[in-house]
Amino acid sequence: LLAMPGLALANADLESKMANPKNWAAQAGDMFNQRYSKLNQINKDNVGKMQVAWMFSTGVLRGHEGSPLVIDGMMYVHSPFPNKVFAIDLDTQKIVWRYEPKQDPFVISQMCCDTVYRGLAYAEGKIFLQQADSTLLALDAKSGKVLWSVVNGDPKLGAVNTQAPHVFGNKVITGISGGEWGVRGFLAAYDINTGKQVWKGYSTGPDAEMLMDPEKTMTWTDGKMAPVGKDSSLKTWQGDQWKTGGGTTWGWFSYDKATNMVYYGTGNPSTWNPTQRPGDNKWSMTIFARDLDTGVAKWVYQMTPHDEWDFDGVNEMILADIDVKGKPTKALVHFDRNGFAYTLDRVTGELLVAEKYDPKVNWASHVDMKTGRPQVVAKYSTSKHTNPEHGPDVNVKGICPAALGTKDQQPAAFDPNTKLFYVPTNHVCMDYEPFEVDYVAGQPYVGATLSMFPAPDSHGGMGNFITWDASAGKIVQSKSEKFSVWSGVLNTAGGISCYGTLEGYLKCVDAKDITKELFKFKTPSGIIGNVFSYEHKGKQYLGVFSGIGGWAGIGMAASLEKDTDGLGAVGGYRELSQYTELGGSLTVFALPD
Amino acid sequence: LLAMPGLALANADLESKMANPKNWAAQAGDMFNQRYSKLNQINKDNVGKMQVAWMFSTGVLRGHEGSPLVIDGMMYVHSPFPNKVFAIDLDTQKIVWRYEPKQDPFVISQMCCDTVYRGLAYAEGKIFLQQADSTLLALDAKSGKVLWSVVNGDPKLGAVNTQAPHVFGNKVITGISGGEWGVRGFLAAYDINTGKQVWKGYSTGPDAEMLMDPEKTMTWTDGKMAPVGKDSSLKTWQGDQWKTGGGTTWGWFSYDKATNMVYYGTGNPSTWNPTQRPGDNKWSMTIFARDLDTGVAKWVYQMTPHDEWDFDGVNEMILADIDVKGKPTKALVHFDRNGFAYTLDRVTGELLVAEKYDPKVNWASHVDMKTGRPQVVAKYSTSKHTNPEHGPDVNVKGICPAALGTKDQQPAAFDPNTKLFYVPTNHVCMDYEPFEVDYVAGQPYVGATLSMFPAPDSHGGMGNFITWDASAGKIVQSKSEKFSVWSGVLNTAGGISCYGTLEGYLKCVDAKDITKELFKFKTPSGIIGNVFSYEHKGKQYLGVFSGIGGWAGIGMAASLEKDTDGLGAVGGYRELSQYTELGGSLTVFALPD
Ligand SMILES: O=C(O)c1cc(C(=O)O)c2c(n1)C(=O)C(=O)c1cc(C(=O)O)[nH]c1-2
Ligand SMILES: O=C(O)c1cc(C(=O)O)c2c(n1)C(=O)C(=O)c1cc(C(=O)O)[nH]c1-2
């Protein structure tokens, strides 16, 4: 027993921290990405009386995503680039230690969608920090001392990081950003104690480099699971294009101990001009289930073959044990950028449900449940290969959703009481004009000009907060919002569901009737962070970062002016500047004494 | 009557706005610098229940001094450099307009003590903005449109601005910063409607340029007021030194309609190495009373002749009608950097009281009431002319207060109910080593190396919040603070006195017993702004900027590391980084519904 303490012990520590609802020990609170807190002191009857308990400014202006962690009375706060870390004593709010990386500011210019960072991970007395420049570090949680550090990618080539590292077992899992620089995506696992790389699986390329077993890695094929076969990626790319083909991995990861699989999605194929890259471009836009120990892909499912709209598939996989079509199911539920919400069997990878979670979605009529492929509407295709009349320099108008999807990085929550998913969404459409572009190492490799606007013939706003039935594949309720809801949701045992808005409001609604707004408070800046909760000295707290930015807020964050700047987001979200200003702060709420 | 609407009308509008306690129409709430609100919904019995109503981030990181203005349901918020202005509708918190000056960032390097800005002024539908680069503008309060702009100084020579413009009558009064660049101080009056300069009075130099009447400008002389006589400044400087002799004017100004005089103080003589500038260096370190219409100096009083410690005399003059030594007096009360609190007759300029407001003050034994001169303790002199054994390259140790004084820019309040002054103070001492320095136009002209530390043999902290009896010249109560209290105080008709701390707490105490802390809340960052209050739709609000910086916070604001950097403040306030981080926000408080 002494000889193999690794996995079991690692899990034991983090799992025990997570099991205690006083902590917020991982970005989603758990490994299932459920974003549900068992605390119930703040509940639907008293949340209206909630007030601000204390605040903390991070000293960084740009977009603040993710949330702090809370472990045993200490809060760990991160910031966007330059990725500062603060350990704050919850008794005194004193800063016990701070870690301020010195990163080359050149990195800023290599980040597509603001200098965001989605947060820290914790395990066994260590805080894991994934810097923008791709350096992954373990810090001593007590002192902030660097225990080890490794380099995960080369920012000069556009390989940077924004996503939170995730600890599963004795490994810290990280991905890579840079789909707009032609970076070849991968997921990598590092040993939490040494920083040694244990495995690395690419999204595209030769089977060996993808850690794919042609015989054993399964995928949905003609209504059932079948092996992917040899060179499943190589066959879907022209020549060497897979080498600069994107499929980056900058989202939220999840893990199920029972299956020992890590679940995540891969991003868009590069470039945004699809005519340049004929084929399905596998395994971009794909849900991956990898074995935690070996990294080998157990199953894959590509949602948007030959992407023509930048519908990155990285959004979080929420693991939930629910009834699907009457059958108790170990489900994986995923709200994709492409506007379809997918329910899969997370053990086998079988496709169970795929339905639109915004009725305005128009680029595909539906997902063919046998092939698993979306049925593209030719009118909204931007690729010559799909619609011979379209292609480079043809401006395709009125595509819904816009490139930032019906949902982007903002994570949804699952409430085990209502069995519903609480989904912060975008209600935005676009015009998309692809153009020919050459790959130049280290330079943006985008190849499309975009304009974004609120979904036409709707409520005029750019967002909805919805509840979703993942078995029926149906919206249960929808609450309109002026702007996209770019903040992560938290549900709690108090019967509430809370999220932030781009204007800067934290809102809590009744989980059973989300049209009932029970609490609303204007924080210092627009909210793109995720709501979290913890308990300290008998009191429940609820917190959220404010700090406008991210892709939706890129105009303000990076002082961009032209409508089509910021990959098209500047014009779409221009009105934001009438509501809020930059500035990163944590606001912590509680009930009055 | 139609022929001379100027003065009377101008006053009428601003005075009527000020008379309505629902507004906060000037930086101090009034023209007397009393910082007292007649609102009493929030009072000493319920202030403990006060909570945050809403927040606003300014999008600027460095030190946030001053406060917003509130006029008829609209709030006007300013920021440090680049001196943004936001007009916020108090019904919706929507940004109705914003003005973002484009200033050359070079200006930042010409600012001694952080890129602070102490706020806007209002009158007759105009918002007056004094930019760091010295441009003074009038903006249309409804639209933010620029109505006029004038240039007040040359940043290339170190002439910048940080102080709030003040409207008195039909004039907007502004000063100048740059004492550490050898800038020659002045006060200037501009017509609020046209921006035309009406008068400009220098602090030093020929009588005509100082707007001094050798026969009629009076000063305290041998126990009575007497004319200053011819060349009163020129005689106290060697050669042309007055041209680069400082005496800048970056504080808060006040005005009494009854005397029609503007009251303000002038800053330190340049350089900080006093041996280089023999003489009294008049009229640096001086309280000025100027006629509003003509600018002519009615009376002057120099507090620290031949300054040897950078004891700028710019702190605000508080006008109050109080009994002094049993006699009803139109008083002017001033808490000087040098550690003495002065009570003068503001009509005549007579010196009535001059006493230490921190018992640790040691550089002078007392102020001789006949001559009005401080009696310097030779041991703490840094000038060869005062102590032949001291001078350049001699490190003089243990001087109290430090250069940032027993009080700096942070304004005190006067409470008409208790007749006491509520004074935010520094409790800091220093070592001071002057050195020879040459004047180079546009370069810092400092000439001393400083170290700062908490006043020895005291409570260990660096600040006190005190109440002061300006008749007796005595501290009534003193409440110790860990750091200097760098925030402006507000007293209200609710019987409370509120101030911020450098750790970031807003505190409200019982005005009758300031040791009773009734409310305490941790805002996002350290507080160097001033507390203000307003009423909207029947509800009283209390607000304050947080955003660490200013001279005390310069280490954090400008990322300085060496103890003696930031003119000695970096070492002294190093511990601040354990409590707070940068970031400018407004926090607005109210009672729960
Ligand atoms: O392809 C990529 O590598 C990549 C990276 C990122 C990122 O790292 O933030 C985003 C995107 N793509 C992207 O498509 C996107 O919509 C997006 C939104 C955001 C955000 O934080 O608001 N990041 C990203
Ligand atoms: O001599 C000058 O012109 C000048 C200017 C300023 C300023 O403009 O802020 C300060 C000072 N001096 C100064 O001596 C000082 O203590 C000081 C503190 C502060 C601040 O805002 O915290 N400014 C200034």
Side-chain angles (χ1 to χ4, degrees):
Chain A
L1 259 173
L2 272 175
M4 43 174 304
L7 184 76
L9 273 181
N11 270 324
D13 175 62
L14 180 54
E15 279 180 277
S16 84
K17 301 284 192 247
M18 281 178 179
N20 180 353
K22 297 181 182 180
N23 292 325
W24 191 257
Q27 284 298 320
D30 64 16
M31 297 187 190
F32 271 33
N33 265 336
Q34 291 192 351
R35 297 187 174 272
Y36 174 79
S37 167
K38 293 204 181 91
L39 300 176
N40 62 6
Q41 189 180 89
I42 300 170
N43 61 44
K44 72 181 175 43
D45 298 322
N46 62 25
V47 66
K49 294 210 182 321
M50 196 166 71
Q51 60 185 50
V52 182
W54 61 278
M55 306 208 49
F56 179 74
S57 171
T58 65
V60 180
L61 290 178
R62 295 180 64 167
H64 280 60
E65 293 183 351
S67 77
L69 301 179
V70 174
I71 292 126
D72 300 342
M74 193 75 84
M75 180 183 281
Y76 300 92
V77 178
H78 70 279
S79 85
F81 183 92
N83 309 126
K84 302 192 214 182
V85 184
F86 304 90
I88 298 180
D89 181 339
L90 290 176
D91 283 342
T92 59
Q93 276 95 54
K94 234 184 119 162
I95 301 168
V96 177
W97 56 260
R98 47 166 81 205
Y99 181 75
E100 307 198 15
K102 299 257 175 293
Q103 296 184 68
D104 191 334
F106 160 78
V107 172
I108 297 170
S109 67
Q110 303 295 81
M111 303 181 80
C112 72
C113 310
D114 200 6
T115 54
V116 294
Y117 173 43
R118 299 190 189 86
L120 306 164
Y122 171 88
E124 298 189 351
K126 298 173 196 63
I127 293 291
F128 300 93
L129 166 66
Q130 176 64 75
Q131 297 179 187
D133 68 3
S134 100
T135 309
L136 174 69
L137 295 99
L139 304 174
D140 183 279
K142 284 239 156 57
S143 67
K145 228 187 71 190
V146 177
L147 300 174
W148 55 256
S149 91
V150 292
V151 171
N152 185 53
D154 184 355
K156 290 212 191 63
L157 300 178
V160 296
N161 275 99
T162 61
Q163 104 303 325
H166 289 65
V167 174
F168 304 134
N170 60 354
K171 300 184 183 62
V172 50
I173 309 287
T174 198
I176 199 78
S177 291
E180 280 60 57
W181 272 251
V183 168
R184 181 181 171 212
F186 61 82
L187 203 75
Y190 297 89
D191 183 288
I192 59 169
N193 292 308
T194 62
K196 223 187 117 214
Q197 195 177 89
V198 185
W199 51 257
K200 179 174 184 174
Y202 282 96
S203 308
T204 62
D207 293 334
E209 295 181 16
M210 290 193 302
L211 306 183
M212 275 212 175
D213 184 330
E215 310 296 307
K216 293 199 182 134
T217 302
M218 309 293 274
T219 195
W220 187 246
T221 315
D222 276 332
K224 59 173 198 310
M225 298 304 288
V228 291
K230 198 167 169 300
D231 294 336
S232 59
S233 168
L234 292 179
K235 284 193 295 200
T236 64
W237 291 92
Q238 200 170 63
D240 269 2
Q241 284 185 341
W242 55 269
K243 289 190 176 166
T244 54
T248 50
T249 49
W250 52 275
W252 310 97
F253 317 140
S254 47
Y255 171 71
D256 182 355
K257 209 168 46 160
T259 64
N260 198 34
M261 292 183 210
V262 181
Y263 302 94
Y264 70 102
T266 60
N268 60 293
S270 313
T271 150
W272 287 16
N273 173 13
T275 304
Q276 268 176 261
R277 42 169 174 74
D280 275 357
N281 310 136
K282 283 178 178 161
W283 294 97
S284 70
M285 306 307 231
T286 295
I287 303 176
F288 266 85
R290 290 188 185 273
D291 182 84
L292 176 63
D293 295 331
T294 61
V296 169
K298 295 298 205 177
W299 58 260
V300 288
Y301 167 65
Q302 191 181 39
M303 296 165 287
T304 316
H306 186 62
D307 167 57
E308 313 174 31
W309 312 270
D310 182 42
F311 291 154
D312 271 51
V314 306
N315 291 354
E316 78 285 0
M317 310 300 154
I318 307 177
L319 313 185
D321 298 343
I322 51 175
D323 283 0
V324 179
K325 321 243 178 229
K327 212 181 108 189
T329 306
K330 284 186 174 294
L332 173 157
V333 177
H334 168 76
F335 299 89
D336 198 59
R337 280 262 278 271
N338 70 12
F340 288 89
Y342 297 86
T343 307
L344 283 82
D345 182 315
R346 71 174 178 270
V347 182
T348 62
E350 284 165 295
L351 179 64
L352 306 175
V353 178
E355 295 291 344
K356 295 179 183 178
Y357 62 104
D358 180 340
K360 291 287 167 187
V361 171
N362 65 11
W363 68 278
S365 58
H366 65 286
V367 172
D368 181 299
M369 293 305 287
K370 197 148 180 246
T371 61
R373 293 179 78 97
Q375 301 305 293
V376 176
V377 175
K379 185 178 161 191
Y380 299 116
S381 162
T382 78
S383 171
K384 213 180 196 69
H385 309 299
T386 310
N387 178 341
E389 279 162 33
H390 286 182
D393 306 323
V394 176
N395 192 6
V396 182
K397 301 206 169 186
I399 305 166
C400 303
L404 34 69
T406 302
K407 191 180 88 62
D408 198 285
Q409 64 83 28
Q410 61 269 36
F414 170 70
D415 190 324
N417 308 303
T418 62
K419 306 278 184 204
L420 295 176
F421 293 80
Y422 294 74
V423 195
T425 74
N426 311 325
H427 196 52
V428 183
C429 302
M430 69 175 168
D431 300 341
Y432 191 108
E433 182 172 336
F435 58 83
E436 195 67 29
V437 66
D438 285 330
Y439 176 79
V440 181
Q443 297 294 320
Y445 184 47
V446 177
T449 306
L450 277 64
S451 309
M452 299 183 188
F453 39 85
D457 307 318
S458 185
H459 53 70
M462 299 173 82
N464 293 302
F465 180 64
I466 67 165
T467 42
W468 179 256
D469 175 338
S471 167
K474 283 211 156 55
I475 294 172
V476 180
Q477 284 189 302
S478 182
K479 177 174 180 291
S480 66
E481 286 286 350
K482 170 137 190 73
F483 295 103
S484 299
V485 186
W486 210 264
S487 144
V489 182
L490 178 79
N491 277 45
T492 78
I496 56 174
S497 183
C498 304
Y499 63 96
T501 74
L502 287 177
E503 298 105 307
Y505 290 102
L506 175 75
K507 296 184 174 183
C508 293
V509 299
D510 185 336
K512 293 214 171 112
D513 179 358
I514 62 167
T515 65
K516 275 199 205 144
E517 214 167 88
L518 305 172
F519 178 79
K520 182 178 165 179
F521 175 85
K522 179 113 190 190
T523 66
S525 180
I527 299 179
I528 61 171
N530 305 333
V531 187
F532 71 110
S533 190
Y534 66 95
E535 183 182 313
H536 187 68
K537 293 201 164 159
K539 212 173 169 114
Q540 183 186 355
Y541 295 87
L542 209 129
V544 73
F545 274 134
S546 55
I548 190 76
W551 191 5
I554 189 68
M556 300 193 68
S559 297
L560 305 176
E561 290 291 344
K562 255 180 61 190
D563 276 358
T564 53
D565 273 354
L567 306 169
V570 171
Y573 292 85
R574 188 176 293 284
E575 253 194 275
L576 263 182
S577 70
Q578 293 173 25
Y579 292 86
T580 194
E581 246 300 344
L582 300 181
S585 297
L586 173 70
T587 308
V588 178
F589 300 83
L591 295 173
D593 285 317
Chain B
L1 260 173
L2 272 175
M4 43 174 302
L7 184 76
L9 273 182
N11 271 324
D13 174 62
L14 181 53
E15 279 179 276
S16 84
K17 300 283 193 250
M18 281 177 178
N20 180 353
K22 296 181 183 180
N23 292 324
W24 191 256
Q27 285 297 321
D30 64 16
M31 299 189 190
F32 272 33
N33 266 335
Q34 291 192 352
R35 296 186 175 274
Y36 174 79
S37 166
K38 292 202 180 92
L39 299 177
N40 61 6
Q41 190 179 90
I42 299 169
N43 61 44
K44 71 180 177 41
D45 298 323
N46 62 24
V47 66
K49 294 209 183 320
M50 197 164 70
Q51 59 185 52
V52 182
W54 60 279
M55 307 207 50
F56 180 74
S57 171
T58 66
V60 181
L61 290 178
R62 295 179 63 166
H64 280 60
E65 293 183 352
S67 78
L69 301 179
V70 174
I71 292 126
D72 300 343
M74 193 77 84
M75 180 181 282
Y76 300 93
V77 177
H78 71 277
S79 85
F81 183 94
N83 308 127
K84 302 193 216 182
V85 184
F86 305 89
I88 299 179
D89 181 338
L90 290 177
D91 283 343
T92 58
Q93 276 95 53
K94 233 184 121 164
I95 301 169
V96 178
W97 56 259
R98 47 166 82 205
Y99 182 74
E100 306 199 15
K102 298 258 174 294
Q103 296 185 68
D104 191 334
F106 160 78
V107 172
I108 297 170
S109 67
Q110 302 295 80
M111 302 183 80
C112 73
C113 310
D114 200 6
T115 55
V116 293
Y117 174 42
R118 298 189 191 86
L120 306 164
Y122 171 88
E124 299 190 351
K126 298 173 195 65
I127 292 291
F128 300 94
L129 166 66
Q130 176 64 75
Q131 296 180 186
D133 67 4
S134 101
T135 309
L136 175 68
L137 295 99
L139 304 174
D140 184 278
K142 285 238 156 58
S143 67
K145 225 189 72 190
V146 177
L147 300 175
W148 55 255
S149 90
V150 292
V151 170
N152 185 53
D154 185 354
K156 290 211 189 65
L157 300 178
V160 296
N161 275 100
T162 61
Q163 107 299 326
H166 289 67
V167 173
F168 304 134
N170 61 354
K171 300 184 182 62
V172 50
I173 308 287
T174 197
I176 199 78
S177 292
E180 281 59 60
W181 272 252
V183 168
R184 182 181 170 211
F186 62 82
L187 203 75
Y190 297 90
D191 183 287
I192 58 170
N193 292 307
T194 63
K196 226 190 113 213
Q197 195 178 86
V198 185
W199 52 257
K200 179 174 184 174
Y202 282 96
S203 307
T204 62
D207 294 333
E209 295 181 15
M210 290 193 302
L211 306 183
M212 274 212 175
D213 183 331
E215 309 297 306
K216 293 199 183 136
T217 303
M218 309 292 275
T219 195
W220 186 248
T221 317
D222 275 335
K224 59 174 196 315
M225 298 305 286
V228 292
K230 199 166 167 303
D231 293 338
S232 60
S233 169
L234 292 179
K235 284 193 298 202
T236 65
W237 291 93
Q238 202 171 59
D240 270 2
Q241 284 185 340
W242 55 270
K243 289 187 176 167
T244 55
T248 50
T249 49
W250 53 275
W252 311 95
F253 317 140
S254 46
Y255 171 70
D256 183 355
K257 208 167 48 160
T259 64
N260 198 37
M261 291 184 210
V262 182
Y263 302 94
Y264 72 102
T266 61
N268 59 293
S270 314
T271 152
W272 287 16
N273 172 14
T275 304
Q276 267 175 263
R277 44 170 171 75
D280 275 358
N281 310 135
K282 283 179 177 159
W283 293 95
S284 71
M285 308 306 230
T286 294
I287 302 176
F288 266 83
R290 289 187 186 273
D291 181 82
L292 176 63
D293 295 332
T294 62
V296 169
K298 294 300 206 178
W299 58 259
V300 288
Y301 168 66
Q302 190 182 41
M303 296 165 288
T304 316
H306 187 64
D307 166 58
E308 312 174 32
W309 311 271
D310 182 41
F311 290 154
D312 270 52
V314 305
N315 291 356
E316 78 285 1
M317 310 299 154
I318 306 177
L319 313 186
D321 298 342
I322 51 173
D323 283 0
V324 179
K325 320 244 178 232
K327 216 181 105 190
T329 305
K330 282 183 175 298
L332 172 158
V333 176
H334 169 75
F335 299 88
D336 199 59
R337 280 260 281 269
N338 71 13
F340 288 90
Y342 297 86
T343 307
L344 283 83
D345 182 316
R346 72 176 177 269
V347 183
T348 62
E350 285 164 297
L351 179 65
L352 305 176
V353 178
E355 296 290 345
K356 295 178 182 178
Y357 62 103
D358 182 339
K360 290 287 168 189
V361 172
N362 64 12
W363 67 279
S365 58
H366 65 287
V367 172
D368 180 299
M369 292 305 285
K370 198 144 179 251
T371 61
R373 294 178 77 97
Q375 301 304 295
V376 177
V377 175
K379 185 177 162 193
Y380 299 116
S381 162
T382 77
S383 171
K384 211 179 199 69
H385 309 301
T386 311
N387 178 340
E389 280 163 33
H390 287 181
D393 305 324
V394 177
N395 191 7
V396 182
K397 300 209 168 184
I399 305 166
C400 303
L404 35 68
T406 302
K407 190 180 89 61
D408 198 284
Q409 64 82 29
Q410 62 269 37
F414 170 70
D415 191 325
N417 308 303
T418 61
K419 306 278 184 201
L420 294 177
F421 293 80
Y422 294 74
V423 195
T425 74
N426 311 324
H427 196 51
V428 183
C429 302
M430 69 174 167
D431 302 340
Y432 191 108
E433 182 172 336
F435 58 83
E436 197 66 29
V437 65
D438 285 329
Y439 176 78
V440 180
Q443 297 294 321
Y445 183 48
V446 177
T449 307
L450 278 64
S451 310
M452 299 184 188
F453 39 85
D457 306 320
S458 185
H459 53 72
M462 299 174 82
N464 292 302
F465 181 65
I466 67 165
T467 42
W468 179 255
D469 176 338
S471 166
K474 284 211 155 57
I475 294 171
V476 179
Q477 283 189 302
S478 183
K479 176 172 180 292
S480 64
E481 287 286 351
K482 169 137 190 73
F483 294 104
S484 299
V485 186
W486 210 264
S487 145
V489 182
L490 179 78
N491 277 46
T492 80
I496 55 173
S497 182
C498 303
Y499 63 95
T501 74
L502 288 177
E503 297 105 308
Y505 289 102
L506 175 75
K507 295 185 174 183
C508 293
V509 300
D510 185 337
K512 293 213 170 112
D513 179 359
I514 62 167
T515 63
K516 274 199 205 142
E517 216 166 84
L518 305 173
F519 178 79
K520 183 178 165 180
F521 175 84
K522 179 114 190 191
T523 67
S525 179
I527 300 178
I528 62 171
N530 305 332
V531 188
F532 70 110
S533 190
Y534 66 95
E535 184 181 312
H536 188 66
K537 295 201 163 158
K539 211 172 170 117
Q540 182 186 356
Y541 295 87
L542 210 129
V544 73
F545 274 134
S546 54
I548 191 75
W551 191 3
I554 188 67
M556 299 192 70
S559 297
L560 305 176
E561 289 292 345
K562 254 180 62 189
D563 276 357
T564 53
D565 274 354
L567 305 169
V570 172
Y573 293 85
R574 187 175 295 283
E575 251 193 276
L576 265 180
S577 70
Q578 293 173 23
Y579 292 86
T580 194
E581 245 300 343
L582 299 182
S585 297
L586 173 70
T587 308
V588 178
F589 300 84
L591 295 173
D593 284 318

